Amino acid sequence: MRVEVRSCLPAGVLALLLFNVPAFSQEVTGNIEGRVLSTDGDPVSAAVRVDGPSLQAVRTVQSDERGWFRVFRLPVGEYTVRLSALGHRAVVVEAV
C-alpha cells in the first residue's frame, strides 16, 4: 500500500497559516517634533521631556546638534513638553 503524503502537506500547511495568523489591530499614534532654538536663533541641544495622561511613562529624547527632535508613536491625546538645556531657561509648552 502506498500513501501520497505530498498532496496533503501543502493543504495542511496552508490551513495552519490561515488559522494561526495573529490579528493585528490598527493603532492610531502621532509624533511630536520640533526644533529648539536660543533667543538669538542658534540651535540648542536640549533634553525634551513629553508627559501626558495617555502615556504610561514619561518619554525623553535629546535634540540633535541642529536643535531638531522627534518623539515617535504617541497615543492620541494632549501632552506637556518640557525643554531644558544647560545655560538656558527651561521652557514648558502645554496642551500639545
Side-chain angles (χ1 to χ4, degrees), residues 20-89:
N20 287 324
V21 175
F24 294 102
S25 62
Q26 292 182 347
E27 183 180 358
V28 178
T29 61
N31 303 327
I32 294 176
E33 56 187 44
R35 191 170 187 202
V36 183
L37 300 172
S38 70
T39 54
D40 298 330
D42 298 325
V44 176
S45 179
V48 180
R49 179 181 166 163
V50 177
D51 191 11
S54 300
L55 290 176
Q56 294 179 353
V58 174
R59 302 262 187 101
T60 304
V61 297
Q62 185 74 27
S63 64
D64 64 17
E65 67 278 352
R66 294 172 293 151
W68 290 104
F69 69 90
R70 181 179 293 167
V71 183
F72 292 101
R73 296 184 45 110
L74 294 167
V76 175
E78 285 191 5
Y79 295 96
T80 300
V81 179
R82 292 174 177 82
L83 309 167
S84 58
L86 289 174
H88 297 276
R89 181 178 54 86

